[in-house]
Amino acid sequence: MTPAKRAMLFLLYNLLFPLLLLLYLPFYAVHILRRGGLTRDFWERFGLFPREVKARLRALKAPVWVHAVSVGECVEAVSFIRRWRERSPKEEFVLTCGTSTGFATARRGLPPEVPCLYCPMDCWWMVRHAVRLIHPRLLAILEVEIWPNLIRQTRASGAKVVMVNGRLSDRSSRGYARWGFFFRPLFRAYHLLCVQTPDDQARLERVMGKDDRIHVVGTVKFDQVAAGNGAKVEDALQKAFGSAPHPLFCVGSTHPGEESLVCGAFAKLLPAQPQWRMALVPRHAERAQEVAALLDSLHLPWQAIAPVPGNPPQAPDGEARVLLVNTTGQLMAYYQAAELCYVGKSLAGQTGGHNIIEPAIFGKAILYGRHMENFREVDHLFRQAQAAQPVEEDELFAPTLQALMENPQRRQDLGQRAKALVEKHRGAIDRTLDLLDSLP
């Protein structure tokens, strides 16, 4: 494709994107309202930054702009920034996020001197305003987020653009390759592309061809900072379950259908395992009302961190069996407090998986389902090291959970192997930073 045709293509994108955004805006506003993201910060998504934010950004001198989208990428971004600051204390940073849950997670984990903002929508004038305001020397995009204006305008400003912790599915790779006339120039606009595995490199090369800017560095997820607000977690656990010690089963990042499977199994096992308690952390806190109704139907006494509209808690202080964590940004702390963890989006009709490395950092015994399409390499490593307990079918969940509840030595062995695996595979952030240091 000639440069003139490519320019026309991006012009068409810049004409159509605002129109599509206007059509989508009512649905987006409802979504944000449900997520609790309709705050003063909401307008940053449209490039409208408060005066104090503008002043703070203008005071920075050629910072590194790190962009992440949802919770997982924001957790990675916090670890990435913290490690980079250890290596280069004088470096300045800005982190932008794409979702309200990611924004809340990032703000909790970032040092206070690092600004955290919402990234504007990919309308050219919104992005241009943000680029001129931040004036970065480098833009680091976590995983694979292809926003044409963000990439092209940042590069046009003279800043370097790099991919950090890149991961492509087969489906995404085929899609990008099919529409290569549009996506190939965007991938080639990067100065450096750091991907997790050789398979990710092959999928990226399917789109842009062989390129010496692509480097396999491993996954940043193994370098995640193990941080959480433990004191508040202990207070919430004691309020719900009482002061007597109880082994805790943490169920993290669940989606519809999984709560029915996991809580149903827990309810059946509880008479034989009365000492156990559960911390239930749905992926999306706005589903708390739905999950609370499920707990009621299973006759599981519960409390919640925040009030659940229309569903008063069914247990007085100290007598709950389930703590419903309907807030964001605390999952890691509950993993840390648990003896046994289930990581969601991997059973009961859900696919893709979530990050099983998070509880492994704390040396916890881990249960997860077989649908780990977004974490295939991680799944392979844990299976190979026998460092977690995968569950191949829904009907096997209850007996697998029962076996682990009854066997503390098995839980200890799994936790030790999980932590050893994490330590073995750390270093992707440093390998990425070494490559960044070598950029001209």
Side-chain angles (χ1 to χ4, degrees):
M1 181 178 287
T2 64
K5 288 183 178 179
R6 190 174 296 123
M8 287 297 296
L9 188 63
F10 285 112
L11 176 61
L12 182 63
Y13 170 83
N14 281 323
L15 291 173
L16 290 178
F17 187 88
L19 295 175
L20 294 173
L21 180 60
L22 282 174
L23 293 174
Y24 176 65
L25 202 55
F27 304 97
Y28 181 65
V30 171
H31 172 76
I32 291 295
L33 187 63
R34 290 183 63 208
R35 286 279 179 94
L38 200 58
T39 63
R40 182 168 179 252
D41 304 309
F42 171 80
W43 301 105
E44 294 177 0
R45 295 170 165 95
F46 301 93
L48 302 174
F49 298 97
R51 184 178 301 171
E52 62 271 20
V53 172
K54 289 181 180 179
R56 191 177 180 190
L57 294 175
R58 287 177 178 137
L60 301 175
K61 297 178 181 178
V64 173
W65 179 357
V66 180
H67 176 59
V69 178
S70 59
V71 172
E73 291 85 6
C74 288
V75 170
E76 295 166 14
V78 169
S79 299
F80 184 65
I81 290 171
R82 284 182 175 275
R83 178 58 184 147
W84 199 339
R85 279 165 52 88
E86 288 173 3
R87 290 178 42 145
S88 303
K90 294 182 179 180
E91 195 78 68
E92 294 184 310
F93 296 87
V94 174
L95 175 60
T96 58
C97 309
T99 67
S100 56
T101 50
F103 184 79
T105 300
R107 272 203 163 169
R108 283 190 180 96
L110 278 176
E113 60 271 22
V114 177
C116 182
L117 321 167
Y118 283 106
C119 190
M121 304 286 188
D122 204 49
C123 293
W124 67 269
W125 65 90
M126 299 179 191
V127 173
R128 182 181 64 176
H129 178 59
V131 171
R132 289 180 174 179
L133 193 60
I134 298 171
H135 194 61
R137 73 169 185 85
L138 183 144
L139 170 65
I141 300 177
L142 268 293
E143 301 202 5
V144 179
E145 290 295 328
I146 302 300
W147 296 106
N149 281 309
L150 179 62
I151 293 170
R152 297 177 80 235
Q153 292 197 40
T154 305
R155 173 155 183 151
S157 74
K160 305 287 185 183
V161 181
V162 302
M163 179 186 294
V164 175
N165 205 42
R167 173 179 58 85
L168 275 77
S169 66
D170 288 328
R171 181 178 178 182
S172 296
S173 176
R174 288 193 298 269
Y176 289 138
R178 187 178 302 117
W179 297 89
F181 59 88
F182 182 78
F183 289 106
R184 193 172 297 113
L186 294 173
F187 281 108
R188 288 178 176 170
Y190 282 88
H191 295 82
L192 177 69
L193 302 103
C194 297
V195 298
Q196 298 181 20
T197 69
D199 287 341
D200 293 312
Q201 180 179 13
R203 295 183 193 110
L204 190 53
E205 288 175 344
R206 178 190 290 168
V207 183
M208 58 184 295
K210 294 282 186 180
D211 198 305
D212 59 10
R213 291 172 293 180
I214 304 174
H215 297 266
V216 177
V217 298
T219 174
V220 166
K221 293 182 185 295
F222 282 111
D223 292 331
Q224 186 170 324
V225 176
N229 196 333
K232 288 186 178 180
V233 164
E234 291 304 322
D235 291 345
L237 292 172
Q238 184 167 333
K239 179 178 181 295
F241 304 140
S243 57
H246 294 285
L248 182 67
F249 176 37
C250 181
V251 179
S253 296
T254 54
H255 292 256
E258 285 185 301
E259 292 96 359
S260 297
L261 175 68
V262 177
C263 295
F266 184 75
K268 290 178 182 177
L269 295 173
L270 199 55
Q273 301 289 332
Q275 75 279 18
W276 280 87
R277 300 292 184 267
M278 178 194 290
L280 178 57
V281 192
R283 181 67 171 183
H284 299 127
E286 69 270 17
R287 294 185 53 247
Q289 196 168 6
E290 170 193 340
V291 177
L294 169 67
L295 295 173
D296 288 340
S297 72
L298 293 170
H299 306 291
L300 283 170
W302 60 275
Q303 287 194 356
I305 301 296
V308 180
N311 292 75
Q314 299 301 304
D317 287 356
E319 297 183 20
R321 297 298 179 269
V322 177
L323 177 61
L324 175 56
V325 183
N326 55 337
T327 54
T328 59
Q330 291 186 302
L331 177 57
M332 288 290 284
Y334 282 97
Y335 281 151
Q336 186 175 14
E339 282 205 20
L340 177 61
C341 303
Y342 170 74
V343 181
K345 207 183 181 187
S346 56
L347 282 175
Q350 297 294 334
T351 60
H354 283 303
N355 185 10
I356 60 176
I357 297 172
E358 290 178 343
I361 289 170
F362 302 111
K364 304 301 177 179
I366 304 163
L367 274 166
Y368 67 97
R370 67 186 178 92
H371 290 288
M372 294 287 286
E373 291 82 359
N374 294 336
F375 294 87
R376 282 173 293 191
E377 180 66 19
V378 172
D379 177 30
H380 172 72
L381 291 172
F382 273 80
R383 287 176 183 266
Q384 192 176 48
Q386 298 181 354
Q389 181 61 65
V391 180
E392 303 301 335
E393 302 293 342
D394 290 1
E395 56 268 23
L396 296 177
F397 181 82
T400 306
L401 176 61
Q402 180 180 6
L404 285 172
M405 282 181 165
E406 293 175 348
N407 193 336
Q409 185 60 52
R410 172 67 174 157
R411 296 197 302 271
Q412 183 179 344
D413 290 344
L414 285 173
Q416 288 175 347
R417 291 194 195 111
K419 191 166 187 177
L421 182 68
V422 171
E423 294 301 323
K424 178 181 177 182
H425 288 277
R426 285 189 184 275
I429 290 179
D430 278 325
R431 288 188 287 272
T432 301
L433 293 176
D434 288 343
L435 290 166
L436 289 172
D437 288 342
S438 67
L439 283 175

